Amino acid sequence: QVKLVESGGGLAQPGGSLTLSCTASGDDFRRYNMDWYRQSPGKQREWVAMISTGGSTKVAEAVKGRFTISRDNARNTIYLQMNNLKPEDTAVYYCNRPQGAHWGQGTQVTVSS
């Protein structure tokens, strides 16, 4: 069983920045690719970014050039650096591994002027 704890969300101005963290416990973090997702009211959960066990990354087109995913295996943590935030980035952000069965509480990001 893996426990995932997301943090770092909050209120940001359009054009502002936030850094999200996701800490995993209960398994060998280094064995898994990890993903960030987000979900807004009335919308399906959306994939945002991925980082492989080796550090390769992919991001969704909607956040390309603005968001950066990284990982620190020693701390069992992945990060999402969010720059140039837009109102449409408003969502609850979650982390998970591919096909992960257990979801954390997520962290709320609100982008508003």
Side-chain angles (χ1 to χ4, degrees), residues 18 23 35 38 48 53 59 71 80 91 96 105 108 110 113:
L18 287 171
T23 299
D35 298 281
R38 65 187 182 186
V48 175
T53 56
V59 299
R71 70 191 297 160
L80 188 67
N96 214 333
Q105 296 297 309
Q108 182 180 346
T110 302
S113 60

Side-chain angles (χ1 to χ4, degrees), residues 5-77:
V5 179
E6 300 93 344
S7 63
L11 177 64
Q13 301 288 328
S17 298
L18 287 171
T19 300
L20 307 184
S21 298
C22 168
T23 299
S25 62
D27 207 345
D28 187 355
F29 178 80
R30 294 178 295 180
R31 294 174 54 204
Y32 299 103
N33 297 347
M34 293 293 294
D35 298 281
W36 281 101
Y37 302 85
R38 65 187 182 186
Q39 187 166 27
S40 301
K43 298 182 66 176
Q44 296 183 358
R45 185 169 56 234
E46 173 189 12
W47 173 81
V48 175
M50 180 278 292
I51 186 163
S52 74
T53 56
S56 298
T57 63
K58 296 180 180 178
V59 299
E61 283 294 320
V63 305
K64 186 177 181 180
R66 301 188 297 117
F67 291 10
T68 302
I69 186 172
S70 61
R71 70 191 297 160
D72 185 342
N73 288 338
R75 300 183 186 276
N76 287 355
T77 300

